[in-house]
């Protein structure tokens, strides 16, 4: 069966933004204008296509990324001419920081992104985080300044915030006619036409002459735009300086080339709620965002040789795909979302999971439309689909053929920063809870389940209070598990600031054969300035732990070295100051001794733990805590109260801006001080202030507070 749409006319893109910038509203318009849905669902009515989970509709926020497929012929084309018509694979992502993994893993498999901004707020904290993720993944972006109909909306100010806080490479492609309640239309600076949106839900797009009063400003803005475009191309720059005029098609070709190379970020404007501007963003997706053929081919490694390899993006190349999301579906069981980079996959065939070295059968392949599904027989290079029947393949696993194995670059999962104790209400709930938690952990890599070794209680960890609330709510609704929860706990860590030596000797005589292990170690903070590939052969670096084997002359036999390493890692997981996981420590095993008869792996493992405890006490051990980036928007009159309150919470004020009549305070505050802050803020400001919070960094806890933390833990 042949491919139904050519690869060069495929666009895989995501809609990303800060919470409440209008992502889902924009995506609903995209579905309506592309003919996928025949009515527009609104977030405030709980009737959207893409926010299909009950929790999303109740809260009016996006929790899980949803994928869909649509087709678009640009508005400037004759409807009969479909030479530019493109197939869109769209992913709508959450804006809330607690669900940041959804953005991260979506960007890993997308070729482009539409970044939505609030026309009042401009760049917000999560806009910066998502922009950084997109930059890390080298994803080309176009910007859309939304909500220009809102009171306080200002396109110039929002555009300036993009230039100031995200990238100087942003280029203004449009300007609005009127703002706030007077927002009436858009001037397209490329074609120098006014764009009108009429008919049912703004479906009819027409291009008319620019009103005389806006003409001079439009000419000036167009000149600025052309300057920025020609700066990206030497030949065009030369022609421009010689006074050459460029056609619209020449300019479009230059913008496309520069956008794909991340040298330009075209900026558009509109109001999705008022049905103005979305179609022009779709035109821009066709014109400027890349097809799978336009991006650098994905890199991987050969699992057998460790050699780097490049995957060829083509239907005829050996099959290679990346699983980027797992989901439990009540109708078909486990769904594994994957992006095909090369080759084709047929339903009923086998795939080789090169990450886990396992073969699995794909019983069915589905093309998803949010939570609805369409069964397909074959998927091709550049497509996004979901497989049914894969038991061992989860997020970040590579799917390929056994004859041409490759392991594609993994998705980096952020650390969880908050934990909570959870216990089943009844005996029946106990059996179901284990199944529910393991299924939810497979779906969401930032959600982790562990048990407290001392109390044997179940601990769940995640990215924030809302994240864990949703998990507990899903356990109840989807799996019928009633559970009691404890107070949220901060995910503290331990580390060392200095270096020291330590010795551990484990000797046990018990009548018969005894136990003997003896290890001497040096510890110091890991030097991350030395790259992984530049490390000497006797150094192994893992995530947050480094092991150096410096044993000479057989002081410890080779067969016991792995036991020492394992003992050190287990001791680091347990921590030595207050029982929190220890990170960023380099352990050098330089000496020790053994007994011909009594030495064993268990003895050396225990000796290693004793040596670490001995060394850590002398190496300036400290506790680390998560510090959150907090942004508070407040009326001016409460500014003093809020900054004073933040200082009492050990917060550091980083900066202050103005947004319309309001003040915006940016601060770094320890997570432990932020529990229940929403109620605190409301009572301080008569309910008129709002705040957002995201993880910033780990930092050392002051000594007096560290002492309290250690005592409470004990």
């Amino acid at each position: 069966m042949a491919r139904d749409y050519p690869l060069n006319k495929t666009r895989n893109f995501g809609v990303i933004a800060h919470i409440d910038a209008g992502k889902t509203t924009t995506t609903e318009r995209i579905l309506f204008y592309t003919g996928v849905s025949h009515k527009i669902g609104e977030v405030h009515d709980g009737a959207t296509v893409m926010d299909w989970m009950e929790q999303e509709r109740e809260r009016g926020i996006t929790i899980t990324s949803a994928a869909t497929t649509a087709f678009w012929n640009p508005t400037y084309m004759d409807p009969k001419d479909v030479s530019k018509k493109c197939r869109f694979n769209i992913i709508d992502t959450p804006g809330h920081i607690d669900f940041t993994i959804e953005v991260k893993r979506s960007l890993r498999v997308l070729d482009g992104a539409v970044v939505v901004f609030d026309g009042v707020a401009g760049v917000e904290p999560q806009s910066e985080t998502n922009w950084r993720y997109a930059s890390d993944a080298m994803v080309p972006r176009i910007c859309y300044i939304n909500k220009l109909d809102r009171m306080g909306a200002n396109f110039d100010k929002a555009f300036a915030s993009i230039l100031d806080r995200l990238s100087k490479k942003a280029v203004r492609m449009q300007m609005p006619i009127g703002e706030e309640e007077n927002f009436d239309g858009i001037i397209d600076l490329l074609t120098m036409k006014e764009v009108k949106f009429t008919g049912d839900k703004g479906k009819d797009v027409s291009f008319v002459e620019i009103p005389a009063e806006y003409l001079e400003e439009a000419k000036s803005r167009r000149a600025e735009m052309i300057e920025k475009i020609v700066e990206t191309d030497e030949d065009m720059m030369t022609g421009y300086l010689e006074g050459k005029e460029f056609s619209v098609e020449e300019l479009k070709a230059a913008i496309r080339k520069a956008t794909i190379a991340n040298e330009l970020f075209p900026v558009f404007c509109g109001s999705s709620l008022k049905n103005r501007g979305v179609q022009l963003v779709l035109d821009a997706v066709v014109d400027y965002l890349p097809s799978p053929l336009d991006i650098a081919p994905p890199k991987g490694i050969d699992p057998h040789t460790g050699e780097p390899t490049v995957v060829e993006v083509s239907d005829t190349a050996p099959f290679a795909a990346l699983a980027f999301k797992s989901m439990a579906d009540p109708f078909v069981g486990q769904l594994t979302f994957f992006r095909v980079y090369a080759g084709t996959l047929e339903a009923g065939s086998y795939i080789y999971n090169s990450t886990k070295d396992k073969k699995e059968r794909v019983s069915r392949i589905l093309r998803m439309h949010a939570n609805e599904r369409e069964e397909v027989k074959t998927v091709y290079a550049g497509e996004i689909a979901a497989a049914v029947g894969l038991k061992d393949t989860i997020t970040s696993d590579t799917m390929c053929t056994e004859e041409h194995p490759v392991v594609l670059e993994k998705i980096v999962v952020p650390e969880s920063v908050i934990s909570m104790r959870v216990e089943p209400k009844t005996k029946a709930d106990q059996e179901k809870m284990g199944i529910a938690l393991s299924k939810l952990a497979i779906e969401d890599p930032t959600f982790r389940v562990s048990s407290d070794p001392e109390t044997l209680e179940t601990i769940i960890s995640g990215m924030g209070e809302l994240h864990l609330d949703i998990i507990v709510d899903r356990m109840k609704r989807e799996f019928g598990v009633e559970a009691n929860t404890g107070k949220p706990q901060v995910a503290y860590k331990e580390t060392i600031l200095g270096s020291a030596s330590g010795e551990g000797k484990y000797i046990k005589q018990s009548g018969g054969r005894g136990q003997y292990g003896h290890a001497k170690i040096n510890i110091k903070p890991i030097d991350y300035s030395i790259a992984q590939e530049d490390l000497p052969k006797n150094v192994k670096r893992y995530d947050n732990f480094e092991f150096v084997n410096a044993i000479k002359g057989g002081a410890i036999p080779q067969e016991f070295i792995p036991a020492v390493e394992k003992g050190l890692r287990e001791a680091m997981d347990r921590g030595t100051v207050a029982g929190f996981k220890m990170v960023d420590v380099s352990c050098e095993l330089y000496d020790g001794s053994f007994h011909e008869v009594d030495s064993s792996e268990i003895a050396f493992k225990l000796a290693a733990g004793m040596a670490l405890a001995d060394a850590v006490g002398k190496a300036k051990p400290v506790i680390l805590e998560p510090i959150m980036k907090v942004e508070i928007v407040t009326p001016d009159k409460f500014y003093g109260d809020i900054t004073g309150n933040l200082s009492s919470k050990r917060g550091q004020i980083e900066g202050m801006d103005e947004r319309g009549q309001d003040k915006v305070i940016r601060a770094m505050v320890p997570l432990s001080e932020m529990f229940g802050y929403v109620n605190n803020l409301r009572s301080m400001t008569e309910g008129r202030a709002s705040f957002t919070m995201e993880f910033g960094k780990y930092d050392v806890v002051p000594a007096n507070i560290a002492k309290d933390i250690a005592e409470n833990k004990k």
Side-chain angles (χ1 to χ4, degrees):
M1 182 181 148
R3 162 192 282 284
D4 61 349
Y5 233 76
L7 201 50
N8 64 341
K9 291 200 182 150
T10 298
R11 301 284 183 272
N12 294 316
F13 70 96
V15 185
I16 61 173
H18 183 89
I19 190 167
D20 242 10
K23 273 179 325 310
T24 301
T25 304
T26 302
T27 312
E28 291 298 317
R29 266 60 188 177
I30 292 172
L31 299 184
F32 178 70
Y33 297 134
T34 54
V36 171
S37 58
H38 300 294
K39 72 179 186 60
I40 293 177
E42 301 294 8
V43 174
H44 50 261
D45 296 332
T48 58
V49 174
M50 299 302 263
D51 284 353
W52 53 270
M53 286 172 69
E54 285 177 38
Q55 292 91 338
E56 292 178 314
R57 292 186 165 183
E58 285 170 5
R59 289 171 168 82
I61 60 168
T62 304
I63 291 168
T64 181
S65 51
T68 193
T69 302
F71 296 88
W72 182 249
N73 199 29
T75 54
Y76 55 79
M77 298 293 288
D78 182 326
K80 294 190 185 81
D81 180 358
V82 292
S83 58
K84 277 203 166 188
K85 189 173 184 180
C86 280
R87 176 207 199 117
F88 291 166
N89 294 318
I90 309 162
I91 296 184
D92 175 35
T93 63
H96 199 288
I97 185 62
D98 285 14
F99 312 107
T100 192
I101 185 63
E102 294 287 346
V103 182
K104 208 163 191 183
R105 60 180 170 190
S106 298
L107 283 170
R108 173 67 183 78
V109 297
L110 292 170
D111 304 327
V114 174
V115 191
V116 182
F117 299 91
D118 183 324
V120 180
V123 174
E124 297 175 90
Q126 190 64 13
S127 322
E128 291 184 271
T129 305
N130 290 341
W131 192 271
R132 191 171 67 247
Y133 289 162
S135 295
D136 292 347
M138 299 291 288
V139 171
R141 280 144 276 174
I142 58 178
C143 305
Y144 170 55
I145 296 173
N146 184 26
K147 299 194 174 186
L148 288 182
D149 60 305
R150 274 184 67 199
M151 187 183 282
N154 186 318
F155 177 71
D156 290 340
K157 209 168 172 186
F159 178 65
S161 73
I162 295 173
L163 291 174
D164 181 40
R165 292 173 66 178
L166 299 182
S167 175
K168 296 273 182 256
K169 297 172 183 173
V171 58
R172 185 196 311 251
M173 303 297 297
Q174 298 173 339
M175 57 178 267
I177 292 182
E179 270 171 352
E180 301 182 338
E181 71 271 18
N182 300 320
F183 175 55
D184 188 44
I186 292 166
I187 292 172
D188 179 37
L189 299 175
L190 204 59
T191 58
M192 286 299 277
K193 295 282 185 191
E194 183 194 344
V195 189
K196 291 269 188 201
F197 302 90
T198 52
D200 178 33
K201 310 285 187 195
K203 208 168 184 178
D204 301 325
V205 180
S206 54
F207 297 82
V208 299
E209 292 307 313
I210 297 172
E213 66 267 32
Y214 290 101
L215 197 55
E216 284 312 306
E217 189 189 350
K219 283 178 181 172
S220 154
R221 295 293 187 204
R222 188 174 199 270
E224 279 173 28
M225 176 192 78
I226 290 173
E227 260 181 51
K228 268 204 165 169
I229 295 166
V230 299
E231 278 171 12
T232 65
D233 187 298
E234 240 173 85
D235 293 341
M236 284 185 91
M237 190 65 173
T238 309
Y240 176 73
L241 294 172
E242 289 167 359
K244 182 182 172 186
E245 288 286 326
F246 298 102
S247 69
V248 169
E249 287 312 313
E250 284 175 312
L251 290 170
K252 275 189 176 181
I255 298 166
R256 178 175 180 78
K257 187 179 164 195
T259 304
I260 291 169
N262 280 305
E263 288 298 316
L264 269 190
F265 302 108
V267 180
F268 299 85
C269 65
S271 164
S272 299
L273 190 65
K274 293 287 190 285
N275 309 307
R276 294 189 186 118
V278 175
Q279 295 99 314
L280 302 186
V281 175
L282 297 183
D283 290 354
V285 170
V286 171
D287 291 336
Y288 309 131
L289 287 186
S291 77
L293 295 171
D294 296 318
I295 54 165
K299 296 186 179 80
I301 56 163
D302 185 313
H304 302 319
T305 64
E307 291 295 309
T309 177
V310 173
V311 173
E312 182 200 341
V313 180
S314 126
D315 290 344
T316 53
F319 174 70
L322 184 76
F324 68 94
K325 180 178 163 79
S326 295
M327 192 173 102
D329 186 287
F331 303 104
V332 295
Q334 189 73 17
L335 278 179
T336 308
F337 286 79
F338 61 96
R339 157 76 192 262
V340 184
Y341 284 102
T344 59
L345 179 67
E346 290 185 11
S349 61
Y350 284 84
I351 59 109
Y352 173 60
N353 181 334
S354 55
T355 314
K356 295 205 170 80
D357 189 21
K358 286 190 174 177
K359 261 185 101 167
E360 292 202 76
R361 185 173 178 270
V362 178
S363 57
R364 292 161 66 197
I365 299 171
L366 306 174
R367 195 172 282 149
M368 299 301 290
H369 299 288
N371 64 329
E372 293 179 6
R373 53 197 74 70
E374 168 199 349
E375 194 150 343
V376 290
K377 293 288 175 227
T378 313
V379 281
Y380 299 85
E383 293 190 2
I384 292 171
V388 179
L390 302 181
K391 292 184 175 63
D392 297 309
T393 303
I394 57 169
T395 298
S396 237
D397 286 355
T398 301
M399 302 154 63
C400 57
T401 63
E402 215 165 354
E403 298 74 40
H404 298 90
V406 62
V407 176
L408 296 168
E409 201 179 316
K410 283 181 168 279
I411 297 164
V412 180
V413 178
E415 286 280 330
S416 48
V417 295
I418 188 168
S419 303
M420 187 161 73
R421 295 173 191 279
V422 59
E423 59 178 36
K425 280 190 175 171
T426 67
K427 188 95 172 99
D429 288 324
Q430 188 163 8
E431 288 161 17
K432 290 191 286 185
M433 189 171 90
I435 297 164
L437 289 176
S438 63
K439 283 189 175 177
L440 290 167
I442 287 169
E443 262 186 51
D444 182 352
T446 56
F447 170 62
R448 297 178 176 99
V449 184
S450 59
S451 68
D452 187 317
E454 291 166 14
T455 62
L456 300 178
E457 290 172 303
T458 302
I459 309 288
I460 58 173
S461 307
M463 301 304 292
E465 288 181 88
L466 178 64
H467 187 195
L468 296 184
D469 276 354
I470 298 287
I471 292 285
V472 173
D473 191 36
R474 287 188 64 192
M475 273 186 2
K476 183 177 173 183
R477 293 195 199 195
E478 293 172 32
F479 300 95
V481 177
E482 295 279 354
N484 296 319
T485 55
K487 255 175 42 182
Q489 306 286 322
V490 177
Y492 293 108
K493 292 180 180 178
E494 297 176 18
T495 192
I496 53 170
L497 300 179
S499 50
S501 299
E503 183 177 3
K505 194 178 268 191
Y506 181 75
I507 306 172
K508 191 175 182 189
Q509 295 298 335
S510 54
R513 184 182 163 180
Q515 296 283 1
Y516 183 92
H518 177 210
K520 292 183 181 180
I521 63 167
N522 292 321
I523 63 169
K524 63 178 183 181
I526 293 178
D527 181 2
Y528 284 113
S529 65
I530 303 171
Q532 181 94 22
E533 55 270 20
D534 298 331
L535 293 171
K537 282 202 167 60
N538 67 328
V539 179
K540 286 191 209 167
R541 183 179 291 171
Y542 305 94
D543 184 25
N544 289 316
F545 171 63
E546 194 172 81
F547 179 68
V548 184
N549 178 8
I551 289 293
K552 302 238 179 355
I556 296 175
Q558 201 56 42
E559 67 262 30
F560 295 130
I561 304 287
V564 174
E565 184 188 329
K566 191 176 181 191
L568 290 169
R569 291 184 74 171
E570 286 182 6
M572 279 186 62
D573 283 344
R574 291 192 301 272
T576 58
V577 181
F580 300 111
K581 184 179 178 180
M582 188 165 269
V583 296
D584 300 333
V585 178
S586 175
C587 300
E588 178 191 46
L589 174 66
Y590 70 92
D591 200 6
S593 60
F594 71 103
H595 188 281
E596 291 285 357
V597 178
D598 291 351
S599 281
S600 65
E601 287 189 2
I602 188 77
F604 273 102
K605 200 169 107 173
L606 293 166
M610 292 160 73
L612 185 75
D614 180 37
V616 167
K618 299 178 265 185
K620 299 184 192 159
V622 290
I623 295 174
L624 300 173
E625 66 179 339
I627 308 291
M628 309 304 278
K629 283 186 199 169
V630 179
E631 186 174 287
I632 300 164
V633 182
T634 174
D636 193 6
K637 70 184 226 181
F638 304 112
Y639 176 75
D641 293 344
I642 289 170
T643 51
N645 182 257
L646 287 174
S647 299
S648 73
K649 292 178 174 293
R650 299 189 283 128
Q652 289 184 320
I653 309 295
E654 299 258 291
M656 192 272 291
D657 295 321
E658 293 195 0
R659 192 176 290 165
Q661 302 297 309
D662 292 335
K663 288 267 193 290
V664 180
I665 303 162
R666 292 197 306 280
M668 299 293 282
V669 191
L671 174 61
S672 58
E673 303 282 353
M674 291 302 290
F675 290 132
Y677 185 64
V678 64
N679 296 330
N680 193 347
L681 185 66
R682 280 176 189 155
S683 61
M684 259 192 301
T685 62
E686 301 161 10
R688 290 165 63 192
S690 62
F691 83 104
T692 54
M693 178 170 80
E694 63 171 296
F695 173 69
K697 61 180 180 179
Y698 267 92
D699 210 347
V700 177
V701 175
N704 59 325
I705 293 168
K707 192 177 167 195
D708 292 343
I709 291 168
E711 281 173 9
N712 287 340
K713 180 77 173 168
K714 282 172 191 167

